[in-house]
Amino acid sequence: MSLERPDRVDDDAVERTPDELEALLGDLVVDRDDHLNAPGFVIRPDTVQETLRTLKEQAGYDHLSVVSAQEYENRYESIYHLKKYDDPTQEVSIVVPADKDDPVSESAEPVFRTADWHEREAYDLIGIEYDDHPDLRRILLPETWQGHPLSMDYDKDRPQIATLPEHANPLEDHHKDAESDTMFLNIGPHHPATHGVLHLKTVLDGEQVADVEPDIGYLHRSEEQMAQSGTYRHQIMPYPDRWDYISAGLLNEWAYARAAEDLADIEVPEYAQVIRTMGAEMCRIAAHMLALATFALDINGDFTATFMYAINDRERVQNLLEDLTGQRLMFNYFRLGGVVWDLPEPREEFFSKTRDFLDQPPESVEEYHNLITSNEVFQMRTIDTGILPPEVAKNYGATGPVARGSGVDYDLRRDDPYGYYDELDWDVVTEDGGDNFSRLLVRMREVEESAKIIEQCVDLLEDWPEDERNIQANVPRTLRPDDDTEIYRAVEGAKGELGIYIRADGTDKPARFKIRSPCFSNLQTLPEMANGEYIPDVIAALGSLDVVLGEVDR
Amino acid sequence: MSSDQPFITDESQVVTETRDARMTGQGDRFNSRLREAFGSSPFILTKFDKFLNWCRGSSMFMLQFGIACCSIEMMHTYAVKHDLDRFGSGVPRASPRQADVMIVPGTIVSKFAPRMKRVYDQMPEPKFVVGMGSCTISGGPFQEGYNVIKGAEEVIPIDIHVPGCPPRPEALVYGVVKLQERVANGEAAPVTVKPYELEEFSDLERDELVDKLADQIDDDELVMRYNFADSP
Ligand code: SF4
């Protein structure tokens, strides 16, 4: 691997047992609270930075996946889920209880930049305050919102007021003084280049970007609340389709399925795993195709050639997915313990259609390279712009094609295998450039890898013995995982590590359901790439991040 | 060419009807079949409004406006295979000031509703709205959400609702064509006062909430007030 860090302590990747970790942390640990996926250490709310720094620097836990916060009857709690980029199966949870009446806890932002947004979200939705946080404001809800919607005493019927501050005059006096002559520019929330409803508050100095701040929450649809009010067995599964809605439905469903199956100890039949793997990779192709289409749209600015080509290819995949699942976009195809139905009959026809689709990539990839990557204008706009160094990417918790475009070799399909991926022959794609072009290349090459995976799945499915075509395990009608079991599980979604944290409380609905969205963390890197660059480069960087606002805001 | 002869066009190979017709001023390039069908009279008699509505319905500019999942299917509707352009309404305009029709493709949440209202206000009259998907009808799958507006009709008038989650592109095409029919017939949803309007903060009725926010919001700032208790 090319990403060896010079300062790496040699025993970084060495797995430590929970007891060794406890010894390492010493007095910092006040209690143990193990989760199904990882050992959990309870610490005091004023030792967060010290604990995380020890784990990061001395034990190599360099990836803060997510901060999930929640309120109990007698306390608040923030959980820091840590992993290693080199081996994501090594996990540890740091549990930080906070006082019920005065929930304050130390911020982890100085240790992990990514904690900035995650803690703002926890403050916004749950109401925990973070000491030492650089900018503790609401992030998803309007700033004038009253109450914290996922806290226990929230009244959902109370009236609320939202403001429209964006009509402020950009040339107002306060942007002009003796030292500076900057201009404030709103990009979005209704703007074709923001891929949805994202708002970028940009401060320009001439044509250069002095500061850009993504303002999100324009599509915050209360996804976590929806999941917390649904039953495990059937009512939650339709929602994942709507997180990353770029046809990445099956990948998202898998995130929920994986977490819930591990929570309730359900074994998925192999045949269903192969179908899942195949469907998920089809989704990945569709998702990457749209990323490519809109990226070309942003860069070349035409609503024609590349866009139409890519949409055409998406239509083909969507046809296959529709044959398989019955829907074009919101598949709702996975069930806990398997998939809802078998391959469409006649199977031969489905297989031959799929093979037709797979036969065509080499040419179409060639076409895309002619259209985009070998286009000089395109290269000028994307090569060496929007650079994201690997260390910065890790600090921000970037995953997926964004991290792999910066040379961070991290792909949960290989590193934390699930489904049928570890039986198949495929490669993780990385590029070392770290610029807009590399991220695009990663996606284009991943499409080819996905095609390889699908092909192997089709081979397997064709020859699968007739009497072993078991699509669903036996799962009880109502699932009631044990009280106070907690789990965090992630899969490789189209945009990166899509993780779910669930806390069960003995009922048939999750007590806390937290979604770790890859786009949320990826989008946070935008200022790093854009500050100091020209405004067209911001658009290019945003396009290459390929965020989907449904998943950023949830 | 090997010889040093100058390049000479073979006039006999060139189709020159158009040029000739133009030169003699007798071109019928602008003559349509339709015109011929009217026979000898070059005039038609119709009501001005009817004619104008027919024109409006036959050429509509859509606002390029994506909100949530439904916008993915909306993009597919514009693009190859479904090609909304076939029906005379496939030109997405990025600016609301150039658009006639707004397709609202997705869930509207508290933070976005004021912006959507603003974008709608920026469109020139006459303007029309297609509500795409269950979310714009009632909040759809997210109706129970603490932050979700229960349908676009709470904020702006909607002419056509296309149900589905998401509606297939075919359904959207059908909806748009229905809208064209309505426009051609001169029908549009009445513009009425909606439950959620943009107003200046100082115009809000004073109550506990307003008092509380008084030092956070300027008097002339535009705000939208949500009464979630009364929403459908
Ligand atoms: S109607 Fe369904 S598909 Fe459309 S925006 Fe709402 S949830 Fe998404």
Side-chain angles (χ1 to χ4, degrees):
Chain A
M1 269 190 291
S2 53
L3 49 137
E4 296 286 323
R5 281 175 318 183
D7 62 334
R8 181 198 289 286
V9 196
D10 273 331
D11 58 357
D12 255 11
V14 174
E15 178 144 16
R16 294 179 194 238
T17 63
D19 291 334
E20 281 168 4
L21 279 175
E22 193 166 346
L24 176 72
L25 291 175
D27 287 346
L28 293 166
V29 180
V30 291
D31 200 0
R32 281 286 288 271
D33 178 13
D34 286 356
H35 299 169
L36 287 186
N37 61 309
F41 301 106
V42 182
I43 61 166
R44 285 203 319 278
D46 56 350
T47 54
V48 176
Q49 289 176 13
E50 198 185 336
T51 313
L52 295 187
R53 191 167 285 126
T54 314
L55 286 171
K56 186 182 186 183
E57 285 166 7
Q58 294 179 29
Y61 287 95
D62 54 352
H63 178 29
L64 173 60
S65 284
V66 62
V67 181
S68 42
Q70 54 192 318
E71 186 184 0
Y72 286 88
E73 290 296 340
N74 59 352
R75 64 179 191 280
Y76 285 87
E77 195 176 278
S78 329
I79 305 174
Y80 296 84
H81 300 273
L82 296 174
K83 286 187 181 184
K84 294 183 184 178
Y85 270 106
D86 286 334
D87 178 7
T89 54
Q90 294 183 39
E91 298 171 78
V92 58
S93 312
I94 298 300
V95 182
V96 191
D99 194 51
K100 180 85 175 177
D101 303 318
D102 179 25
V104 185
S105 146
E106 195 181 37
S107 167
E109 191 273 342
V111 189
F112 290 101
R113 268 296 285 138
T114 180
D116 180 353
W117 279 24
H118 285 286
E119 286 174 350
R120 275 176 70 188
E121 186 189 320
Y123 163 70
D124 192 356
L125 302 183
I126 313 283
I128 304 179
E129 307 214 358
Y130 292 90
D131 246 355
D132 212 11
H133 189 284
D135 183 22
L136 195 63
R137 283 178 294 130
R138 287 190 181 271
I139 186 166
L140 295 174
L141 291 166
E143 234 151 276
T144 47
W145 199 262
Q146 300 296 307
H148 302 279
L150 294 183
S151 62
M152 285 176 135
D153 55 357
Y154 181 73
D155 170 16
K156 151 165 147 3
D157 285 339
R158 71 195 292 178
Q160 300 283 358
I161 290 179
T163 60
L164 179 69
E166 274 100 42
H167 63 308
N169 176 4
L171 294 178
E172 241 170 59
D173 290 343
H174 60 265
H175 297 296
K176 239 187 172 104
D177 57 36
E179 289 100 68
S180 72
D181 179 8
T182 58
M183 178 178 154
F184 178 71
L185 181 71
N186 278 312
I187 309 178
H190 160 238
H191 188 281
T194 55
H195 298 196
V197 281
L198 171 68
H199 174 206
L200 298 179
K201 295 181 184 163
T202 324
V203 178
L204 297 182
D205 183 358
E207 217 188 317
Q208 263 174 335
V209 178
D211 184 33
V212 53
E213 185 201 332
D215 174 23
I216 61 174
Y218 293 94
L219 193 52
H220 175 55
R221 307 190 269 195
S222 349
E223 297 269 14
E224 288 173 6
Q225 177 213 4
M226 301 316 300
Q228 277 163 220
S229 52
T231 53
Y232 290 105
R233 185 75 167 91
H234 291 299
Q235 290 178 347
I236 296 177
M237 198 53 96
Y239 285 98
D241 286 318
R242 288 159 182 83
W243 302 339
D244 175 359
Y245 45 69
I246 315 280
S247 284
L250 295 182
L251 295 156
N252 307 348
E253 287 174 22
W254 208 335
Y256 169 60
R258 187 171 189 211
E261 279 156 8
D262 283 357
L263 183 71
D265 213 0
I266 299 167
E267 196 64 47
V268 183
E270 265 190 25
Y271 180 64
Q273 292 285 31
V274 182
I275 300 184
R276 281 181 172 189
T277 310
M278 177 184 72
E281 290 310 309
M282 287 179 179
C283 282
R284 194 180 309 275
I285 293 185
H288 283 354
M289 279 297 162
L290 193 80
L292 189 129
T294 48
F295 190 47
L297 195 64
D298 292 342
I299 302 294
N300 291 351
D302 66 336
F303 207 56
T304 47
T306 324
F307 184 79
M308 294 297 177
Y309 276 77
I311 292 283
N312 191 27
D313 277 334
R314 264 176 65 89
E315 287 284 357
R316 289 161 189 266
V317 199
Q318 280 188 310
N319 283 344
L320 292 177
L321 282 164
E322 191 180 350
D323 286 348
L324 180 67
T325 68
Q327 239 279 21
R328 278 169 56 89
L329 205 56
M330 300 300 165
F331 311 109
N332 192 13
Y333 179 62
F334 283 16
R335 291 291 176 275
L336 299 188
V339 294
V340 61
W341 45 60
D342 204 347
L343 300 171
E345 299 285 347
R347 257 182 250 144
E348 292 68 40
E349 194 185 317
F350 177 74
F351 289 137
S352 74
K353 260 179 155 178
T354 313
R355 284 196 197 282
D356 283 351
F357 169 72
L358 295 174
D359 285 346
Q360 157 244 345
E363 287 155 49
S364 70
V365 167
E366 182 74 41
E367 230 162 39
Y368 287 119
H369 281 297
N370 286 339
L371 274 166
I372 326 178
T373 46
S374 55
N375 178 334
E376 227 171 282
V377 178
F378 191 89
Q379 290 178 355
M380 275 163 60
R381 291 280 312 274
T382 54
I383 294 182
D384 277 342
T385 60
I387 295 189
L388 184 68
E391 282 317 305
V392 179
K394 286 184 181 178
N395 201 8
Y396 277 91
T399 48
V402 176
R404 291 195 284 273
S406 294
V408 179
D409 194 359
Y410 179 77
D411 188 323
L412 291 176
R413 291 175 290 174
R414 177 202 59 195
D415 300 337
D416 181 12
Y418 56 95
Y420 216 71
Y421 287 112
D422 50 350
E423 311 278 325
L424 305 173
D425 176 29
W426 58 284
D427 294 311
V428 175
V429 178
T430 55
E431 290 282 335
D432 286 331
D435 54 5
N436 294 332
F437 195 67
S438 309
R439 289 187 280 276
L440 176 77
L441 275 188
V442 167
R443 294 203 179 87
M444 292 177 72
R445 286 174 54 200
E446 271 181 19
V447 167
E448 292 172 67
E449 293 299 324
S450 295
K452 260 202 237 165
I453 297 179
I454 299 175
E455 188 155 16
Q456 296 170 47
C457 289
V458 173
D459 289 344
L460 281 167
L461 290 172
E462 263 178 344
D463 302 333
W464 208 271
E466 207 54 48
D467 49 349
E468 284 170 33
R469 290 179 184 261
N470 183 8
I471 54 160
Q472 244 185 63
N474 261 337
V475 181
R477 186 176 290 249
T478 338
L479 286 177
R480 287 201 183 77
D482 295 338
D483 190 12
D484 210 31
T485 31
E486 296 168 61
I487 189 165
Y488 172 78
R489 274 270 177 266
V491 300
E492 186 71 26
K495 316 286 194 272
E497 176 184 338
L498 176 61
I500 307 292
Y501 163 82
I502 301 180
R503 173 168 68 90
D505 60 356
T507 65
D508 57 352
K509 294 173 184 171
R512 180 78 175 105
F513 190 97
K514 163 87 192 154
I515 307 158
R516 189 267 182 205
S517 134
C519 295
F520 186 78
S521 301
N522 290 352
L523 179 60
Q524 220 185 330
T525 62
L526 182 66
E528 292 282 342
M529 299 191 226
N531 286 352
E533 303 261 358
Y534 291 113
I535 193 120
D537 298 334
V538 178
I539 301 300
L542 182 64
S544 74
L545 279 182
D546 184 29
V547 290
V548 36
L549 272 297
E551 198 178 62
V552 174
D553 295 345
R554 290 152 287 142
Chain B
M1 253 178 264
S2 52
S3 72
D4 44 14
Q5 283 222 335
F7 183 79
I8 297 170
T9 317
D10 181 358
E11 285 280 347
S12 68
Q13 300 285 314
V14 179
V15 185
T16 57
E17 286 106 24
T18 323
R19 191 182 72 192
D20 295 345
R22 274 175 127 182
M23 286 194 319
T24 53
Q26 318 213 321
D28 62 350
R29 290 194 306 151
F30 296 104
N31 207 356
S32 72
R33 291 270 161 83
L34 190 62
R35 166 73 186 74
E36 272 161 28
F38 281 124
S40 54
S41 164
F43 302 105
I44 56 165
L45 200 58
T46 179
K47 280 197 265 175
F48 176 79
D49 288 352
K50 206 163 179 167
F51 174 67
L52 207 64
N53 285 338
W54 173 77
C55 293
R56 271 188 193 127
S58 312
S59 149
M60 300 207 291
F61 281 13
M62 320 301 271
L63 179 63
Q64 191 179 341
F65 186 53
I67 304 181
C69 352
C70 277
S71 47
I72 303 300
E73 285 297 63
M74 186 182 75
M75 285 163 62
H76 278 261
T77 316
Y78 289 135
V80 280
K81 184 167 170 188
H82 299 100
D83 191 12
L84 189 58
D85 215 2
R86 289 176 293 164
F87 304 96
S89 50
V91 191
R93 313 304 302 189
S95 163
R97 296 179 204 278
Q98 300 165 341
D100 307 312
V101 182
M102 171 165 158
I103 300 182
V104 184
T107 327
I108 298 142
V109 303
S110 67
K111 204 168 172 181
F112 192 64
R115 278 78 180 171
M116 182 176 76
K117 173 76 172 144
R118 173 43 69 97
V119 171
Y120 175 78
D121 288 344
Q122 284 172 335
M123 289 167 57
E125 289 283 1
K127 52 191 165 193
F128 310 95
V129 182
V130 177
M132 181 181 185
S134 326
C135 281
T136 60
I137 298 175
S138 65
F142 301 100
Q143 197 188 22
E144 299 287 308
Y146 51 79
N147 190 29
V148 174
I149 308 300
K150 322 291 181 249
E153 195 114 40
E154 304 264 288
V155 184
I156 56 175
I158 305 255
D159 295 272
I160 297 276
H161 285 289
V162 183
C165 183
R168 295 178 67 90
E170 291 89 332
L172 183 61
V173 170
Y174 181 77
V176 171
V177 172
K178 279 285 164 203
L179 177 69
Q180 290 179 311
E181 265 173 35
R182 286 194 68 182
V183 173
N185 291 332
E187 300 165 18
V191 178
T192 50
V193 177
K194 292 292 170 189
Y196 303 149
E197 290 280 349
L198 273 181
E199 39 198 336
E200 284 194 2
F201 185 64
S202 55
D203 291 345
L204 288 183
E205 237 174 86
R206 298 205 70 97
D207 64 6
E208 203 189 334
L209 174 63
V210 174
D211 286 339
K212 203 166 161 197
L213 287 170
D215 51 345
Q216 252 191 65
I217 307 178
D218 293 340
D219 271 355
D220 58 350
E221 189 150 344
L222 289 178
V223 297
M224 199 173 260
R225 188 200 158 98
Y226 305 110
N227 295 315
F228 286 122
D230 313 334
S231 357

